[in-house]
Amino acid sequence: MLESSDESLCIVAKRPWSSDSEAKLVAFTEEFRISEEVLANGYKYFLEVSVAVDDVLTGPVALSAEQRVAAVIYYAENDAYPEWLNELWSGQ
């Protein structure tokens, strides 16, 4: 559903991050931060929708639902693509 979401929003999620994590989309504050209310409810910054869609999920090969989740979580934690995704996209 991220591809149809407002790209100015941010994904926040409760740790530990997994396919079962509680997550939601929120707007940044005027200071480009996550609101104190959201943080107080246990959510942490995860990734901006635009980054998830444009940088992680858009590639030369369609990903399964499990691959999409794994790729986005890896990218959020490492600011890099997982090796398996690089290999998949390069055709290795």
Side-chain angles (χ1 to χ4, degrees), residues 22-41:
E22 190 174 332
K24 63 182 181 176
L25 302 179
V26 299
F28 285 111
T29 66
E30 289 181 15
E31 297 81 28
F32 204 65
R33 298 180 184 269
I34 304 300
S35 76
E36 291 300 322
E37 179 183 348
V38 170
L39 295 173
N41 285 315

Side-chain angles (χ1 to χ4, degrees), residues 65-86:
E66 289 176 355
Q67 288 173 320
R68 290 168 57 90
V69 170
V72 170
I73 291 172
Y74 188 93
Y75 192 90
E77 292 176 335
N78 299 283
D79 197 27
Y81 300 111
E83 188 59 36
W84 63 264
L85 186 58
N86 287 325

Side-chain angles (χ1 to χ4, degrees), residues 14 16-23 69 73:
K14 293 185 178 179
W17 293 336
S18 73
S19 60
D20 297 327
S21 295
E22 190 174 332
V69 170
I73 291 172

Side-chain angles (χ1 to χ4, degrees), residues 1-2 7-9 16 19 21-22 37-38 46 48 50 64 71 82 84:
M1 293 184 354
L2 286 178
E7 288 200 359
S8 69
L9 297 176
S19 60
S21 295
E22 190 174 332
E37 179 183 348
V38 170
F46 182 75
E48 295 165 49
S50 62
S64 69
W84 63 264

